[in-house]
Amino acid sequence: RLCNTDRHSGNILVRERDGRDVQLIPIDHGYALPGEVGGATFEWLSWPAAKLPFSAEMRRDILDIDLDSVEAALRRRLPALREECLVTLRTCTALLQAGVEAGLTAYDIGSMMTRPEEDIDYDQPQDVEGGAPAHSKSVLESLIASARRQAKAVDEPEPFERILDGLIRQRCAEMAAAAGERAA
């Protein structure tokens, strides 16, 4: 439920015992809670286990996350943590919980947080200021942008998170329905 934008294979240690892999240890948590969602990289998306359903115990643990308690603990331990980082935590936790409720896999949920890979010809001039190629948004970035647009049009206090939660739940349900149709 973190949006670590730097979770690549170089930031995962493998602890071996008797020549067998027994434990994966993530390191380098500097980008674990960025101020905005985008550009996440998850090495584990390529692992076969990411496409397996969550166990009943894991589903229960995810759905039981008490975000208010987690936020309070983070505020106590990291008083300098910026509010926008907590918004990222709330957003990613909402996505995780909605995905689990819909029956999605870790792969499905993680794929919603990563930008699609694009074939960019770096030898061709780019139509972007500074010469860097533009990137497509992740599904989650698009949902956030849509929620912001809709929240501006609504005349009520704090509609953004409510609207975003609804959009996330709707997209997870659509993905689950599409996966069910493919399996049938």
Side-chain angles (χ1 to χ4, degrees):
R1 65 200 169 96
L2 301 179
C3 185
N4 194 326
T5 57
D6 194 28
R7 185 55 67 220
H8 56 79
S9 61
N11 282 341
I12 301 174
L13 297 177
V14 179
R15 180 178 290 162
E16 293 184 25
R17 212 174 277 145
D18 300 324
R20 294 186 4 223
D21 297 344
V22 294
Q23 189 176 22
L24 299 176
I25 304 166
I27 59 170
D28 189 1
H29 306 292
Y31 294 112
L33 278 175
E36 63 182 40
V37 174
T41 301
F42 301 124
E43 175 69 23
W44 50 262
L45 285 176
S46 65
W47 300 349
K51 293 184 179 182
L52 297 175
F54 288 101
S55 68
E57 179 182 8
M58 182 66 72
R59 286 177 53 85
R60 188 176 52 255
D61 288 347
I62 290 168
L63 295 175
D64 285 347
I65 294 170
D66 179 354
L67 192 51
D68 292 333
S69 295
V70 172
E71 256 191 68
L74 283 171
R75 287 179 190 276
R76 278 191 308 273
R77 293 177 191 223
L78 302 167
L81 187 62
R82 300 182 327 250
E83 181 61 30
E84 56 268 26
C85 299
L86 293 171
V87 171
T88 297
L89 175 69
R90 287 192 296 272
T91 300
C92 294
T93 301
L95 174 62
L96 177 62
Q97 290 178 324
V100 166
E101 285 177 352
L104 299 180
T105 65
Y107 176 84
D108 297 326
I109 297 165
S111 294
M112 292 175 69
M113 297 175 68
T114 58
R115 294 177 178 154
E117 291 188 22
E118 301 175 278
D119 292 328
I120 299 172
D121 185 352
Y122 288 96
D123 293 330
Q124 297 298 317
Q126 302 297 319
D127 188 24
V128 176
E129 189 174 320
H135 295 284
S136 296
K137 291 181 179 179
S138 69
V139 169
L140 186 55
E141 287 174 295
S142 295
L143 293 174
I144 291 168
S146 181
R148 284 190 179 129
R149 283 191 304 276
Q150 290 179 39
K152 283 183 183 179
V154 176
D155 187 27
E156 63 180 78
E158 304 298 326
F160 170 74
E161 286 188 26
R162 180 184 48 77
I163 292 169
L164 179 59
D165 186 63
L167 291 173
I168 287 171
R169 289 179 183 285
Q170 178 183 357
R171 182 65 178 127
C172 288
E174 292 168 356
M175 286 182 69
E181 289 173 10
R182 283 192 304 273

